[in-house]
Amino acid sequence: MTKWIFISIVAGVLLQSCNSSRNMQWPVRKEGRSEQTGTTFYQQVATAQWRERDSLAMQEILEGNIPGFLRKFARIHVSLTDSTSGKRIQAYYFVSPDYLSLGTDKDWARIPLTPMAAQVIADSFHCFLPTRKMVNDIYAQAAVKLAPVPMYAFRDSSVTMWQHHLIVEGQRKGRKGLIAGIKKDVVISGKVSRDPRPDREAIYGWHKLDGKPIQPLYTGHINWWVDYSHGIRLVYRTIWVNGKAMDYTEVLKDPVLQRLLCDEEWCDFVRY
């Protein structure tokens, strides 16, 4: 797979004092390539099953078919007090302003995916999937919070996914900025590895306007189950802790710092 060049860590550190967002260098749409919009994608996969939809969406996204607004990540601030030293630790990281989507700025759509497809895309863009705590922190700092809209028929169909996207856009009414409350997040969680059933996925969130999530941390679905309510939020894998750039895996391995990103008893996350 082609390796994409990303903004250097040094440039990222310079962002501390001048910006609250991060412009991601995602792949550029190939010249001469037919333009697949959100509308045409959902028309193409209207009768498709999960495997075909996953494959087509991955191809589009990895080739750069991403709306421009999704490339500008939002900064999330977190902190904790070290119980041993009593010192306050400040950190921040960058997240996609909306759930993973494809198409153009004028015609785009959110695309629910399996965690396997999400992992491939996240790895390709130097990102990872959020934890339960991160979903809560993102919701708390979101500029646009919308009430969840449950749908009950044909939950795993592409048609329902498209309809739900249009409903959310009707709620949003053109408001811009980091959005939350519209999907259940596919998350990384130690609960996946501890579940005795094989091939699980973890989902969490879909916060109501009172800040309480509809979906508790849940691993009841097989990992190929995808429905309209699932969303993929990308997190840039570099975490800035007291001004120092660290990979998220380093943070999660540290018994103190891991609490910046994780609220589970065991932060033993597995990759999908």
Side-chain angles (χ1 to χ4, degrees):
M1 182 181 295
T2 302
K3 293 183 178 179
W4 309 106
I5 301 175
F6 296 91
I7 302 173
S8 69
I9 288 178
V10 173
V13 171
L14 292 176
L15 283 171
Q16 291 183 68
S17 60
C18 60
N19 284 322
S20 61
S21 61
R22 181 182 185 88
N23 290 312
M24 299 295 291
Q25 291 190 348
W26 290 23
V28 177
R29 189 192 306 271
K30 294 181 179 179
E31 291 186 13
R33 188 181 183 281
S34 60
E35 187 175 79
Q36 179 84 287
T37 66
T39 301
T40 59
F41 175 80
Y42 272 117
Q43 289 173 342
Q44 183 177 357
V45 300
T47 60
Q49 300 299 311
W50 69 269
R51 198 182 302 274
E52 182 182 359
R53 184 175 57 235
D54 254 27
S55 178
L56 289 171
M58 282 179 56
Q59 178 182 344
E60 291 290 330
I61 292 168
L62 292 175
E63 290 185 357
N65 190 6
I66 304 159
F69 71 84
L70 202 63
R71 298 170 183 262
K72 189 174 183 179
F73 277 29
R75 184 190 289 199
I76 301 297
H77 292 267
V78 291
S79 62
L80 61 80
T81 300
D82 185 339
S83 59
T84 302
S85 67
K87 293 182 179 180
R88 193 70 176 165
I89 300 173
Q90 304 283 346
Y92 64 86
Y93 52 86
F94 293 91
V95 303
S96 58
D98 206 322
Y99 290 99
L100 194 60
S101 309
L102 63 77
T104 67
D105 279 335
K106 293 183 178 180
D107 188 341
W108 60 280
R110 300 174 182 92
I111 312 295
L113 295 170
T114 66
M116 295 82 76
Q119 187 72 67
V120 171
I121 292 170
D123 289 345
S124 298
F125 299 148
H126 201 65
C127 292
F128 68 104
L129 302 182
T131 66
R132 174 175 63 183
K133 179 183 185 299
M134 296 172 79
V135 172
N136 288 334
D137 290 335
I138 292 167
Y139 182 82
Q141 297 179 45
V144 181
K145 297 181 174 74
L146 301 180
V149 180
M151 301 178 76
Y152 302 99
F154 308 108
R155 296 166 56 87
D156 62 336
S157 76
S158 296
V159 172
T160 302
M161 293 176 184
W162 173 235
Q163 289 176 335
H164 190 254
H165 168 75
L166 295 177
I167 289 170
V168 170
E169 284 308 282
Q171 288 180 285
R172 191 168 69 93
K173 297 179 180 178
R175 284 175 285 175
K176 300 182 184 301
L178 179 63
I179 191 170
I182 59 174
K183 295 283 186 181
K184 303 170 187 174
D185 282 73
V186 176
V187 296
I188 56 173
S189 170
K191 191 173 181 179
V192 173
S193 59
R194 295 191 296 274
D195 195 308
R197 298 164 295 183
D199 302 324
R200 299 289 104 183
E201 66 177 338
I203 55 175
Y204 172 77
W206 218 11
H207 291 70
K208 297 179 290 184
L209 293 179
D210 63 4
K212 297 178 180 178
I214 289 177
Q215 179 64 68
L217 184 61
Y218 180 70
T219 56
H221 290 316
I222 191 75
N223 60 11
W224 50 258
W225 172 262
V226 186
D227 70 39
Y228 76 95
S229 68
H230 293 189
I232 306 301
R233 177 89 70 179
L234 296 182
V235 184
Y236 189 65
R237 65 183 294 149
T238 302
I239 314 296
W240 282 264
V241 181
N242 286 342
K244 176 185 177 182
M246 300 179 66
D247 189 80
Y248 83 99
T249 57
E250 296 178 87
V251 177
L252 288 175
K253 289 176 182 176
D254 187 289
V256 174
L257 299 182
Q258 65 180 215
R259 296 304 168 190
L260 292 165
L261 307 180
C262 168
D263 62 0
E264 294 187 45
E265 185 176 356
W266 297 286
C267 297
D268 54 340
F269 299 107
V270 297
R271 292 167 52 82
Y272 289 110

